[in-house]
Amino acid sequence: MARSALLNVMVSAAIKAGKSLSRDFNEVENLQVSRKGPADFVSRADTRAEQIVYDELRKARPTYAFLMEEGGKVDGTDGQHTWIIDPLDGTTNFLHSIPLFAVAIALQRGEEIVASVIYNPIMDELYTAEKGGGAWLADTKRLRVAGRRHLSDAVVSTGIKTQGTSNDTLQLRQLAQINPAVAGIRRGGSISIDMAWLAAGRFDALWEAGLQPWDVAPGLLMVKEAGGLVTDLAGQPGSVWNGQIVAGNETLQGALLKSLRKVQ
């Protein structure tokens, strides 16, 4: 694929931040096992990566706004464009030396996501998408969602929030509903990677709730450009802002949504 100038900027920022995270990741195993030490270390790694992405994108497009997991909102002057950034999606994985985490960047123009990058620096997997241009792995492999038609054949990904959240029991009921209907359920720990893997056909379908805009935005475009369908739990078109996603090819997405809506 031929990248646009905007996508080149995003890829460069993600790879540079990924190199920083890779260096820090190699130090995680050497940390003293305590709550404060590792958590503080990961926080610093997260903040460093976000600053790298911010600096790279700000230098290239100084008028664009930002919405960042750590740094919050930074207003722009052009009134149309917003970078949405998660510099370390998969923090718990990172802390436990599990090599499933990503730098995730999306560009919103008006109300639409028009470009996205998801980069796993440890596996060196670069996923990119542009509106109307498809979704790609490493610029050479065009992504398509899997073609399976039956939930009984499907491997489905989800996220399980930490104990004490308001929808603990709802998640357990959803798992009890979906588990016997599918070939397997996976919980990867990075929603950006989960959605990239859905776009690549590694997962067949996916659902999750309680998400933030930076969790959803990069993967939303990736799945759509790979031919997938994304809605919320009410069946409305997937949005960056409502915190819910149910995704897959048209058949599996519909079947998964129908099953989830039986759970109250």
Side-chain angles (χ1 to χ4, degrees):
M1 65 165 287
R3 293 187 204 146
S4 69
L6 273 173
L7 195 58
N8 273 328
V9 167
M10 297 168 71
V11 167
S12 177
I15 290 175
K16 190 171 182 178
K19 288 179 179 178
S20 175
L21 288 175
S22 293
R23 288 191 295 269
D24 288 333
F25 183 73
N26 290 330
E27 296 299 320
V28 170
E29 290 184 343
N30 298 326
L31 297 175
Q32 181 180 356
V33 180
S34 69
R35 281 189 177 272
K36 184 175 180 181
D40 284 353
F41 179 85
V42 172
S43 178
R44 289 194 297 272
D46 200 337
T47 303
R48 272 194 297 270
E50 185 172 271
Q51 189 65 50
I52 288 168
V53 174
Y54 176 85
D55 289 345
E56 292 292 305
L57 298 181
R58 191 70 164 181
K59 180 172 58 179
R61 296 293 188 273
T63 64
Y64 288 11
F66 287 80
L67 179 62
M68 301 174 284
E69 181 180 18
E70 304 303 326
K73 186 176 181 181
V74 177
D75 291 332
T77 57
D78 86 329
Q80 282 292 308
H81 295 90
T82 301
W83 300 113
I84 303 176
I85 301 166
D86 190 343
L88 176 52
D89 180 31
T91 302
T92 302
N93 285 351
F94 185 97
L95 178 60
H96 288 269
S97 300
I98 299 170
L100 285 176
F101 58 89
V103 181
I105 307 169
L107 177 62
Q108 180 172 304
R109 179 180 296 138
E111 298 299 317
E112 290 187 296
I113 304 300
V114 296
S116 68
V117 172
I118 298 169
Y119 179 54
N120 178 341
I122 304 305
M123 298 178 72
D124 193 27
E125 288 193 337
L126 175 68
Y127 297 87
T128 58
E130 288 191 271
K131 185 182 176 184
W136 297 80
L137 172 59
D139 293 340
T140 58
K141 180 181 179 182
R142 185 155 189 172
L143 304 182
R144 297 296 299 177
V145 293
R148 293 181 182 87
R149 316 307 289 176
H150 304 286
L151 278 180
S152 58
D153 298 324
V155 172
V156 179
S157 173
T158 191
I160 303 169
K161 302 302 179 186
T162 55
Q163 289 182 329
T165 56
S166 59
N167 60 348
D168 274 355
T169 57
L170 174 61
Q171 290 178 330
L172 292 174
R173 291 196 298 273
Q174 289 174 338
L175 287 167
Q177 173 74 19
I178 300 303
N179 188 57
V182 300
I185 295 178
R186 301 291 183 267
R187 200 277 197 230
S190 166
I191 183 60
S192 294
I193 290 178
D194 287 352
M195 294 184 79
W197 285 10
L198 175 63
R202 297 177 182 176
F203 293 140
D204 297 295
L206 177 151
W207 93 93
E208 191 164 345
L211 299 167
Q212 297 297 326
W214 45 82
D215 296 320
V216 177
L220 183 68
L221 180 65
M222 201 79 60
V223 172
K224 288 180 178 179
E225 287 294 324
L229 178 64
V230 186
T231 74
D232 62 17
L233 287 165
Q236 297 302 306
S239 166
V240 168
W241 305 105
N242 64 11
Q244 302 173 349
I245 50 172
V246 184
N249 67 39
E250 187 173 356
T251 299
L252 285 184
Q253 195 275 346
L256 180 60
L257 179 62
K258 182 178 179 180
S259 189
L260 286 167
R261 292 179 74 179
K262 294 177 182 177
V263 181
Q264 302 295 325

